[in-house]
Structures are given as C-alpha cells and as structure tokens.
Amino acid sequence: TIETRNIDKIYQNGGEDLKVLDNINLKVYEGSFIAILGPSGSGKSTLMNILGCLDVPSRGEYYLDGINVLDANDNELAQIRNQNIGFVFQQFNLLPKMNAIQNVMLPLLYRGISEAECSQKAVDALNRLGLGDRLRHRPQQLSGGQQQRVAIARAIITNPNLVLADEPTGNLDSKSSQEVMKIFHELNRKGHTIVVITHDQEVAEEIGEIIYIRDGKLYEN
Amino acid sequence: TIETRNIDKIYQNGGEDLKVLDNINLKVYEGSFIAILGPSGSGKSTLMNILGCLDVPSRGEYYLDGINVLDANDNELAQIRNQNIGFVFQQFNLLPKMNAIQNVMLPLLYRGISEAECSQKAVDALNRLGLGDRLRHRPQQLSGGQQQRVAIARAIITNPNLVLADEPTGNLDSKSSQEVMKIFHELNRKGHTIVVITHDQEVAEEIGEIIYIRDGKLYEN
Ligand SMILES: Nc1ncnc2c1ncn2[C@@H]1O[C@H](COP(=O)(O)OP(=O)(O)OP(=O)(O)O)[C@@H](O)[C@H]1O
Ligand SMILES: Nc1ncnc2c1ncn2[C@@H]1O[C@H](COP(=O)(O)OP(=O)(O)OP(=O)(O)O)[C@@H](O)[C@H]1O
Ligand SMILES: [Mg+2]
Ligand SMILES: [Mg+2]
C-alpha cells in the first residue's frame, strides 16, 4: 500500500521558490490499478519519482507497506526499490553501453541471481514485448519505441509488487501499446499494484480508476 | 521539394546485415503537410534522419529543392540544414547545460544574428508554446512535455521551409498537442512544408495526407 501525507515539493532556483506539488494526500491499496492524468508540467513525474523512492519531498510523509520511507537510509532505500518497485522512466534511462538483454537483466543481477538465469528471464521478457530480434542491440541501435519496450521489460523482470510507469506508451503505436497494457493487466490480475501516468485517453479509460493532477494538486475522479 | 530515389538503409551488426529501409521512393511537394505512420521499429526515424541530412542512405539518391544532397560536403550540408530545415527529434536532443532560451536561440546564432535579436525571438517562440514561466530552466529542470515544446520552439525559430517533426506530441497532453498542431498548420498555410511522424490517430487524421511505413517499405494512403 502507498500512503502519502501532506506532501509538497518545492524547487529553489536562485532565490525563487517553485512549488510543484501542493499538499498531496494519496492512498493506493495493494492490488489496485490506477492512472494519473494531468497537463504537461503539472507534477506527475515529480510525484512518481517520490513514490518510487528516487526523490524526496520538501515536506510531508510517505509510507510504503507501512515503512516510513523518509526515515530509511540510502541502503535501505535501495533495498526497498530493488525488492518492491519496478519503474518505467519517461525518458527510459537505459545504460548506453549495454545491450537490451544486459539492460533488462540488471535488476536481477543486483539480487545475486546467477547470470544464466538472469539472461534467460531477460530473453523471455523481451520476447513478450516483441523484441526477440533485437536482443543484442544497444539503446542507440533501437528505435524510440523499442527502447521504451526494453525499459518496460526491465521494470517487470523482478515481478515487483508495485509497478510505476511514466507514459509507458508515449512512443508506441496502438498495437504495441495494447501489448504493454495487456502485460500490466496480467500483472494486476496476479495482485500487483500498477500506477500509470498517461496522456492517452484510451489507456486511461481502460484502467478505470483515474486521479487528476493540475498545478501540483490532486483531484480524485 | 523532397525527392528520394530507391533509398535503402542497411545496418551492419557483427556480420549480419539488417535492412531497415527498402527501396524508398518518396516525393513531397513544396507547401504540403504529410504524416508518416507505422509500427514501432518500422523505419520512420531512420527515414526522417536521412530527409533531415543527419544520416546517409546505404543506396539511392536524395534531392532537396533540386540539390543532390549526397554529393554535398559537410559544410554544404550544415548550410542546407541551417538554412532550410527545422528538426524536432524524437528524444529532443536539448543541450543540457543551456537553459530554454539559449537552446531555442542557437539556430539563429549560427546565422550570425545579434544575440539580443535571437533572445527576443526565442522568448516569443517559447511564449507561443506556453513556456513563458520556464525561460531560464535547463532541460533537467523541465518536465518531459516541456522539453518537447522547447525542442519544437527551436525547430521553428528560423522559420524553415521544411519542418521535420518526429512524434512532436508523444509527451504532450491533448491541449498542448493541439497548440503544437495549430502552430504547424499556421506555418503550412504560409507555404512551409511540414512532415510529421506520429502514432496519434487524431493528429494523423487532421493532417490529411498519410504515408505508411511497414518493415522499411512505403505505402501511399
Ligand atoms: N545503429 C543501428 N544498428 C542496427 N539497427 C538499428 C540501428 N538503429 C536503428 N536500428 C533498427 O532500425 C529499425 C528502424 O528504426 P527507427 O528508429 O527508424 O524506427 P521507428 O519507425 O522510428 O520506430 P519508433 O516508432 O519506435 O520510434 C529498428 O528496427 C531498429 O532496431
Ligand atoms: N529541477 C527543477 N527545478 C525547477 N523546476 C523543476 C525542476 N524539475 C521539474 N521542475 C518543474 O516541475 C514541474 C513539474 O514537472 P513534472 O516533470 O512533474 O511534470 P509532468 O506532469 O510529468 O509533465 P509532462 O507531462 O510534461 O511530463 C514543471 O513545471 C517543471 O518545470
Ligand atoms: Mg512527466
Ligand atoms: Mg522513431
């Protein structure tokens, strides 16, 4: 379960304070599937980075499965992230010198799983996403949509309790988008919690539970 | 006018040849507005990079306003690009150490225009794209959609004859997308040639003339 209490995020740019999240109180129960919608620049990625333990709020509290995330140290945070959370970044963040398989198997290698097993699971995940013929391509040898699908494969490879996906279908044609959403629905049916940021109305409608952000404030559906 | 003749693009990865563009014959007349659609990995960005004189084909010829682009040297190519073409990259390619204004004014500085005039034009373009309150933000201080709009402002700042936009609305909410398309329609009404790659059905339908790519081959609408 995700629970935030009175979360603000303020950036300080040379004297000027910019509040981009304003008093966010969000509760997401285990096993739910929610969409976050909002205009460009409204604070979606900023909120997602905090939920993913990649950034800290300026004020407020965040509890992930009862753990007070803001009290945890860096090692504990890395552990929470690697054990619980799969993250699809808006700009992919793939490692440029590694090929598709190597990028996807990385989260499993961190858990100490054997290289042979990691590689097999990575190949399986990439095949599910239609990239069986691009396994040894590095990010700059892949199209935008292919890179996005590698990023999605990496996010789901550890079968995480919580998947946070920031515009996972932004660079994908409708057929590839449907494949990705199918995978998220399958994970959700198995009890995984899925949070998706999207601008795609079709994707939002099929998810059901929608939360809106506008100028850093949350509005429930 | 754009005219390609029998263009192939082949990547050589370790002994294996991968043909990603196959015998492309495309003619785009001055002042037209066309959309290019196709599945992820089908060759859209590869074709666009060749049209934008950023990459060369493995075989075939390319004539831009009658100039045989493949005979031109690097200096001539840079001149053709800077004088004629505005490019919106799929992954923005903004300069990380420069702020929004500096990124947008760069193409004009290359033409030897005074810094004061460049800066004013850049501010105007950014205001048109709804970024008047983010002028001094660097790319990592902007959201995905805001970065995309900076990239669009940079592409149109020189009022180029030819605008090549690779998924210009991929990271934008519907209101921002409509703003961008409005600007492209305005440029097109003034006689500029606009080529847009998109996965967004709504964007493609409003453009009218659609070209499809599948497995590196072109199919006219
Ligand atoms: N340097 C490279 N080496 C080998 N293959 C490459 C290289 N760059 C691109 N490719 C391949 O070329 C094909 C076409 O890529 P391109 O980027 O043109 O696709 P696209 O139609 O733009 O797709 P998307 O909608 O996902 O952006 C892809 O299958 C990709 O894997
Ligand atoms: N380092 C920073 N310094 C200052 N402002 C920032 C910084 N990073 C982001 N911002 C601002 O925070 C706001 C929220 O950004 P965020 O990336 O969360 O938006 P978003 O809702 O994800 O938008 P998009 O749909 O365009 O991706 C934006 O207005 C942006 O300009
Ligand atoms: Mg974002
Ligand atoms: Mg592309």
Side-chain angles (χ1 to χ4, degrees), chain A residues 143-145, chain B residues 44-45 90 166-167 197:
Chain A
S143 78
Chain B
K44 302 182 298 294
S45 295
Q90 189 169 3
D166 194 345
E167 310 242 22
I197 292 177

Coordinates of all heavy atoms in Angstrom, one line a residue, chain A residues 143-145, chain B residues 44-45 90 166-167 197, ligand 4:
Chain A
S143 N 15.0 1.8 -32.0 CA 14.1 2.9 -32.3 C 13.6 3.4 -30.9 O 13.7 2.7 -29.9 CB 12.9 2.5 -33.1 OG 12.0 1.7 -32.4
G144 N 12.9 4.5 -30.9 CA 12.3 5.1 -29.7 C 11.4 4.1 -29.0 O 11.5 3.9 -27.8
G145 N 10.5 3.6 -29.8 CA 9.5 2.6 -29.2 C 10.2 1.3 -28.7 O 9.7 0.7 -27.7
Chain B
K44 N 10.7 4.8 -39.5 CA 10.2 6.2 -39.6 C 11.4 7.2 -39.2 O 11.7 8.1 -40.0 CB 9.0 6.4 -38.7 CG 7.9 5.5 -38.9 CD 6.7 5.9 -38.0 CE 7.0 5.7 -36.6 NZ 7.2 4.2 -36.2
S45 N 12.0 7.0 -38.1 CA 13.0 7.9 -37.7 C 14.3 7.8 -38.6 O 14.9 8.8 -38.9 CB 13.5 7.7 -36.2 OG 12.4 7.9 -35.3
Q90 N 13.0 12.9 -31.9 CA 12.1 12.0 -31.1 C 12.5 12.1 -29.6 O 11.7 12.1 -28.7 CB 12.1 10.6 -31.6 CG 11.1 9.7 -30.9 CD 11.0 8.3 -31.6 OE1 11.7 8.0 -32.5 NE2 10.0 7.5 -31.2
D166 N 9.5 14.5 -35.5 CA 9.4 13.1 -35.1 C 8.7 12.9 -33.8 O 9.2 13.1 -32.7 CB 10.8 12.5 -35.0 CG 10.9 11.0 -35.0 OD1 9.8 10.4 -34.8 OD2 12.0 10.4 -35.2
E167 N 7.4 12.5 -33.9 CA 6.5 12.4 -32.7 C 6.5 13.6 -31.8 O 6.8 13.6 -30.7 CB 7.0 11.2 -31.8 CG 7.3 9.9 -32.6 CD 6.4 8.8 -32.2 OE1 5.3 9.1 -31.6 OE2 6.8 7.7 -32.4
I197 N 6.0 12.7 -38.1 CA 5.8 11.2 -37.7 C 4.9 11.2 -36.5 O 5.2 12.0 -35.6 CB 7.2 10.6 -37.4 CG1 8.1 10.5 -38.6 CG2 7.0 9.2 -36.8 CD1 9.4 10.0 -38.3
Ligands
MG4 MG 11.2 6.7 -34.1

